[in-house]
Amino acid sequence: MTTSFELPLWHDLHVHFRQGDIMPALIKDHLDMGCSTVLAMPNTKPPVAKVRQCDDLPYWSVEGYRDMIMQAGGDAFDDVIVPLYLTKDTTPAMIEDGAKAGLLKACKYYPPHGTTGADFSYPFEKFIENGVFAALQDHGVTLCIHGEEHGMEAEQYFDRKINAEEYFYQQRMPKLADSFPHLKVVGEHLTTKVGVDFIQSAGKNFAASVTPQHLIYTVGHLLKGLNYHLYCLPLVKYDEDRAALRAAVSAPDNTQFFAGTDSAPHVEKLTACGCAAGCYTGGIAPQLYAEAFEMAGVDLSQDAGQTLFSNFITNIGGAFYGLPTPQDTFTLVREPSEVCMLQTDAGTVTPLPKGMSTDERVSMKWSIRR
Ligand code: NCD
Ligand code: ZN
Ligand code: ZN
């Protein structure tokens, strides 16, 4: 008998919807794969780095970007969380005002120049000193962190003993946890065993989002054939890192690791001297997560396995952000489905599995029914 199970709509707590003509197609893909609430990242052009539209800083606002998402079809989500991009211009007063007005649930830290759209970012230490992290803690605003050390020499960036994420979790995170013991923190798109160990030891204020690609692939998959569609940041890591992530997301007592696809479309993935970082998994993420859970040894034909899966994609992240459990449901079926290119009004986007194969037809092991 074919395995098939029904579960509540789920939450993608790390996604990139960008700006302009590409947005409607991206949002539709997310709705079609059963998303109830999304957390839409603020590394747009310009970045979402002020709370209110009337503030005259030269950025987009949380209010304005939410409206933009709503107008591009996002009003069909149950909720859309837009975190504030932390810059040199972010002030504790801005955080307090945003939180009190109910406009601000989360903020996002990017390592300066570390990733797509991170040019406006500001050093981590500064926010420890200038009252911004303290304001987040005081007003119950979550800090989402792209946890990679900035500006490392290439030799250290992907060293065998310590890489940019490991450095960040060993050198920066402990100080954050000590200085702000009540701050709610999400380690975004976690990739290493060091990161997993830190989150588990840091206690319940800390959580982490985990992508499909970091559960399925290792750096060998990226390098063998130079499959640049798998190039995202932080880079996919080693087998033992992947094993730690798989164990964390599928543990029966998991309360800290939840779904955040980091679906990050690039219409022009190849650049003049390299490649833009980001994998597109819109429309196909629950299918890929289901495959990843099976790779982790979870039996999705059994109730126990289905509960672990549903916890990961809906309940754990929902509890962390205080979201209601969605009433509507969708169904996952263990039946092959074809992955198609995404046509948008801004160009074509290659979903990750298509980028991993030269076959004309590429299919996944799971399908979705709404
Ligand atoms: C993201 C993007 O393209 O916006 N890219 C990525 O490789 N993850 C940025 C990010 O999440 O850091
Ligand atoms: Zn990131
Ligand atoms: Zn991202």
Side-chain angles (χ1 to χ4, degrees):
M1 212 179 72
T2 313
T3 293
S4 138
F5 63 107
E6 190 180 351
L7 64 175
L9 297 188
W10 66 291
H11 307 307
D12 185 355
L13 295 167
H14 183 143
V15 57
H16 298 271
F17 284 153
R18 310 301 192 201
Q19 61 276 307
D21 291 345
I22 199 172
M23 291 179 88
L26 302 178
I27 289 167
K28 180 172 184 308
D29 245 4
H30 257 67
L31 288 164
D32 287 349
M33 66 174 173
C35 269
S36 160
T37 293
V38 289
L39 185 146
M41 285 298 176
N43 61 335
T44 45
K45 290 179 185 159
V48 181
K50 63 186 185 184
V51 176
R52 293 180 186 268
Q53 208 137 15
C54 59
D55 183 335
D56 55 27
L57 285 166
Y59 304 121
W60 277 354
S61 66
V62 169
E63 283 183 318
Y65 189 50
R66 260 189 114 251
D67 281 352
M68 226 180 273
I69 293 172
M70 295 301 167
Q71 276 162 29
D75 51 352
F77 291 119
D78 290 327
D79 202 355
V80 174
I81 302 170
V82 174
L84 177 75
Y85 188 132
L86 298 176
T87 71
K88 64 175 177 32
D89 296 315
T90 313
T91 61
M94 195 192 278
I95 306 292
E96 179 175 354
D97 167 58
K100 286 188 172 161
L103 296 168
L104 197 61
K105 264 196 146 168
C107 290
K108 177 73 188 276
Y109 169 78
Y110 286 101
H113 308 288
T115 182
T116 314
D119 321 353
F120 293 85
S121 146
Y122 197 50
F124 199 67
E125 283 294 320
K126 303 275 188 192
F127 296 117
I128 293 185
E129 292 154 11
N130 70 7
V132 166
F133 287 168
L136 298 182
Q137 172 174 261
D138 292 349
H139 299 286
V141 177
T142 294
L143 174 60
C144 302
I145 297 183
H146 180 121
E148 286 192 293
E149 181 61 9
H150 149 69
M152 287 177 106
E153 296 297 328
E155 286 80 355
Q156 272 73 51
Y157 180 71
F158 206 75
D159 184 75
R160 251 203 265 194
K161 291 198 201 72
I162 188 159
N163 58 50
E165 181 177 293
E166 292 169 338
Y167 185 95
F168 194 92
Y169 279 84
Q170 285 174 348
Q171 303 296 326
R172 305 249 178 234
M173 283 296 215
K175 181 163 178 199
L176 182 73
D178 290 347
S179 309
F180 307 103
H182 304 296
L183 179 62
K184 290 183 75 174
V185 177
V186 180
E188 299 295 340
H189 43 42
L190 201 65
T191 67
T192 58
K193 180 176 187 309
V194 165
V196 169
D197 291 345
F198 176 83
I199 297 291
Q200 285 174 337
S201 67
K204 63 173 176 30
N205 294 349
F206 280 74
S209 62
V210 184
T211 76
Q213 62 267 24
H214 293 112
L215 289 170
I216 294 175
Y217 298 110
T218 64
V219 67
H221 295 95
L222 171 69
L223 295 177
K224 198 176 160 199
L226 212 54
N227 276 322
Y228 65 88
H229 286 283
L230 183 55
Y231 177 68
C232 65
L233 293 174
L235 286 165
V236 278
K237 299 293 189 314
Y238 297 102
D239 199 17
E240 77 167 300
D241 297 302
R242 185 180 64 174
L245 290 169
R246 287 178 177 178
V249 300
S250 63
D253 59 353
N254 174 24
T255 56
Q256 292 178 292
F257 299 87
F258 56 72
T261 61
D262 195 16
S263 181
H266 290 276
V267 168
E268 282 169 34
K269 181 86 173 137
L270 281 179
T271 62
C273 67
C275 174
C279 301
Y280 186 68
T281 50
I284 56 175
Q287 301 91 310
L288 295 179
Y289 278 131
E291 198 166 332
F293 264 61
E294 291 189 309
M295 290 169 161
V298 175
D299 184 351
L300 290 177
S301 70
Q302 300 296 315
D303 284 351
Q306 293 167 8
T307 300
L308 297 180
F309 186 77
S310 190
N311 283 343
F312 171 71
I313 65 168
T314 309
N315 303 336
I316 295 171
F320 192 87
Y321 281 102
L323 308 171
T325 304
Q327 295 301 308
D328 290 344
T329 62
F330 73 108
T331 302
L332 271 168
V333 186
R334 204 178 192 295
E335 220 166 62
S337 57
E338 192 179 347
V339 185
C340 299
M341 300 293 276
L342 178 69
Q343 312 297 340
T344 81
D345 287 349
T348 305
V349 176
T350 307
L352 180 59
K354 284 288 260 190
M356 297 300 291
S357 168
T358 51
D359 295 351
E360 201 172 314
R361 295 180 77 111
V362 173
S363 58
M364 300 173 290
K365 294 197 167 65
W366 289 81
S367 314
I368 228 173
R369 305 261 160 78
R370 289 293 312 271

